[in-house]
Amino acid sequence: MSTPSQPQRMDKPYNNKQLSLFLAKLKRQATGSPSIDTIKDCLDQAIALPYATKYRNQYHYISLLLGTIASIGLWLYLDRLGYSFSYYQQTHWLAFALLFSVIIGCVITLTIRHKRIKSTSKLLRDETIKHLYNMTECDGIFLAQAQSKFVDFQRGNHSRNVEWGKEIDFHTQAGVIRASVIHHHYVDQRQETYTETDSKGNTQTRTRTVYDHYHREGVIFPPINKCHSLVMSELRAQKHWPEKFMPASREFEKRFNVQTASEFEAAKFLEPVVVIACEELGKQLPQLTIEFAADGSLLINQNEANLLNPKMDHDITTPRAFKNELLTDTSLDTVNRIFGFVNKIIHHSVGPTR
C-alpha cells in the first residue's frame, strides 16, 4: 500500500480525444475566472482525471520518422535509376504526395497538441497570478503621469512610451498598498555607415538610419517615506536634478550614477543600511534604476522584460506538481525581490532611530 510520501504514479491510460475535450472545457472555465477557487477547481479536475493529462504521441513520431525515411529512400532510388525531377512518373508523384501528407499531418497534429497544452497552462498561470496579486489594469491617465514625472522614462531620442501597467497588491508591515508593474519601451535612432561592393568590385560608402529598441519593466510605488527628487541608475539618465551625491562605498560608486535636488536629503536617505540594500538589488537586477520622483513616488526599473510572465517548471501534464508551483507566492521572483527591497526601505524609514 502506497504512502502519502511516495511520488504520484504515472500509470493512467491515455485518451487523446477526451484530453482535447477536457482542455477546451478547462480553458472555458478558467477564462476570466472570478476567484482563485475557480483555478483550484480546474487543477483538481486535472488531478482527478482517470486518464493522463498528456497526449500519447508515439504513433505520430513513428509515422513522422518512417515517412521521412521513406521519402528520402524513394528520392535516392529514383535518382539511382537516372530519373530527373521533371520526368518522374505520375505514380512517383502520388507516392511523394502520400508521404508528404503523412509528414505534414503528423507535424500539424503534434504542433496543435503542443499549443493546447502550452496555452492552457499559460492561462491557468496568468489567472492564478491575477488572483494572488489582486491584479487589475492601470488606467491611461496614471501611465501618462508616470511617463512625465520619472526621469528614467525619458530615455530614447526617437520615441518613448510606457506601454502598459498592472496594479498589484504589495504587502508591507504597515498593511497592503497598491503598486504598479509597468512596461517601458523606448527607441534610439542613429546613423550607421556601411560599404557596398558591386559585381565589378567597386565599393561605395552609404549611410542608413538604424533604430535600436529597448524594453524595460519595473514597479511604481506610492510615496513610502519622505525621500523625493533622487535618481540612482546603472544607466546614465537624462540630467534633471542639479546636484550630485555619492555615499562612501566603492561598490555603490562603481554601480550607480546619482542625481538629486538636495545633497542633504540624499545623504539622509543613503545611510549605510540603504546603500547595502541598493547594492544587493543591483547584483540581482540588470541595468537597475531606483528613482524617487518629485512627489515621492518610487520607481524600480530594470531590463528584464518578463516580470509578469515567469518561467514555470511544470505544466498541466503534471497537474499535481503544477498546482503546487502555481499556488506558491514566489511565482513572480523578480517582483518579489523588488518588494523585499522596498520593505527594507520602509522598515528602515519607520525604525526607532528615524
Side-chain angles (χ1 to χ4, degrees):
M1 183 175 179
S2 62
T3 63
S5 62
Q6 290 178 325
Q8 181 185 6
R9 295 181 63 187
M10 298 300 293
D11 57 357
K12 290 184 178 181
Y14 291 89
N15 191 320
N16 291 345
K17 182 178 180 180
Q18 289 299 316
L19 178 57
S20 295
L21 294 173
F22 174 74
L23 292 177
K25 171 195 166 189
L26 215 59
K27 290 180 76 171
R28 289 193 301 269
Q29 185 175 345
T31 301
S33 57
S35 71
I36 191 66
D37 291 334
T38 303
I39 304 303
K40 290 179 180 178
D41 180 60
C42 290
L43 294 166
D44 287 339
Q45 290 180 51
I47 293 171
L49 277 181
Y51 45 85
T53 52
K54 60 176 66 175
Y55 287 101
R56 186 179 183 87
N57 292 321
Q58 288 92 326
Y59 296 130
H60 286 81
Y61 283 121
I62 292 172
S63 298
L64 181 61
L65 177 62
L66 293 178
T68 302
I69 292 173
S71 298
I72 295 173
L74 179 59
W75 183 285
L76 294 175
Y77 172 72
L78 294 175
D79 182 67
R80 185 177 180 184
L81 292 179
Y83 281 63
S84 66
F85 188 78
S86 58
Y87 288 102
Y88 284 168
Q89 297 179 10
Q90 185 175 8
T91 53
H92 300 144
W93 280 111
L94 290 174
F96 274 122
L98 178 61
L99 290 171
F100 281 127
S101 296
V102 171
I103 293 170
I104 292 171
C106 289
V107 170
I108 291 174
T109 300
L110 291 170
T111 301
I112 289 173
R113 288 177 177 177
H114 174 74
K115 286 185 176 179
R116 280 201 195 112
I117 294 293
K118 186 176 180 179
S119 62
T120 304
S121 301
K122 183 179 184 302
L123 174 63
L124 292 170
R125 183 204 64 188
D126 291 347
E127 290 292 307
T128 300
I129 291 172
K130 179 184 78 175
H131 295 303
L132 287 178
Y133 290 86
N134 191 22
M135 188 181 300
T136 57
E137 296 284 341
C138 290
D139 63 51
I141 296 175
F142 172 83
L143 297 179
Q145 290 174 343
Q147 184 161 333
S148 64
K149 71 181 178 181
F150 286 107
V151 177
D152 202 57
F153 292 154
Q154 306 311 309
R155 303 183 186 280
N157 61 17
H158 178 70
S159 67
R160 54 180 75 103
N161 186 30
V162 179
E163 294 185 340
W164 55 256
K166 305 279 188 181
E167 287 192 0
I168 58 178
D169 279 347
F170 169 44
H171 295 269
T172 74
Q173 62 186 45
V176 178
I177 62 175
R178 295 290 277 171
S180 302
V181 177
I182 52 84
H183 183 96
H184 173 214
H185 173 215
Y186 66 95
V187 182
D188 279 331
Q189 176 183 306
R190 57 185 173 86
Q191 298 297 315
E192 181 180 83
T193 58
Y194 65 101
T195 57
E196 276 187 345
T197 305
D198 60 23
S199 59
K200 297 180 180 180
N202 299 319
T203 60
Q204 187 174 11
T205 301
R206 297 183 180 275
T207 302
R208 61 188 170 198
T209 302
V210 178
Y211 299 94
D212 298 315
H213 292 258
Y214 300 92
H215 295 266
R216 286 164 65 78
E217 286 188 7
V219 185
I220 297 174
F221 300 86
I224 60 170
N225 55 22
K226 295 181 180 180
C227 188
H228 63 87
S229 308
L230 173 65
V231 182
M232 299 166 284
S233 181
E234 293 189 85
L235 297 170
R236 289 203 172 272
Q238 183 183 90
K239 183 67 175 178
H240 185 77
W241 303 113
E243 304 292 336
K244 292 183 178 181
F245 176 80
M246 190 58 63
S249 167
R250 281 288 186 89
E251 174 68 25
F252 191 97
E253 185 178 0
K254 287 190 296 183
R255 187 174 294 277
F256 293 104
N257 300 291
V258 181
Q259 54 175 289
T260 179
S262 167
E263 287 187 66
F264 176 71
E265 293 296 329
K268 281 176 59 179
F269 173 69
L270 286 171
E271 294 184 356
V273 64
V274 175
V275 169
I276 292 172
C278 292
E279 292 170 354
E280 290 175 348
L281 188 64
K283 294 174 183 177
Q284 298 172 346
L285 304 183
Q287 303 298 316
L288 175 66
T289 293
I290 303 168
E291 177 179 354
F292 290 89
D295 65 355
S297 300
L298 171 62
L299 167 68
I300 313 289
N301 207 16
Q302 48 84 64
N303 271 10
E304 183 183 330
N306 289 293
L307 296 195
L308 300 181
N309 188 31
K311 184 179 181 298
M312 306 296 290
D313 294 327
H314 302 282
D315 59 22
I316 196 64
T317 60
T318 53
R320 194 179 300 278
F322 189 44
K323 179 182 179 181
N324 291 337
E325 183 177 19
L326 284 178
L327 296 181
T328 59
D329 203 25
T330 57
S331 53
L332 300 183
D333 290 336
T334 302
V335 171
N336 287 333
R337 287 193 193 102
I338 293 173
F339 281 177
F341 168 79
V342 176
N343 263 321
K344 288 180 183 177
I345 302 304
I346 292 174
H347 178 74
H348 176 69
S349 299
V350 300
T353 62
R354 307 300 292 168

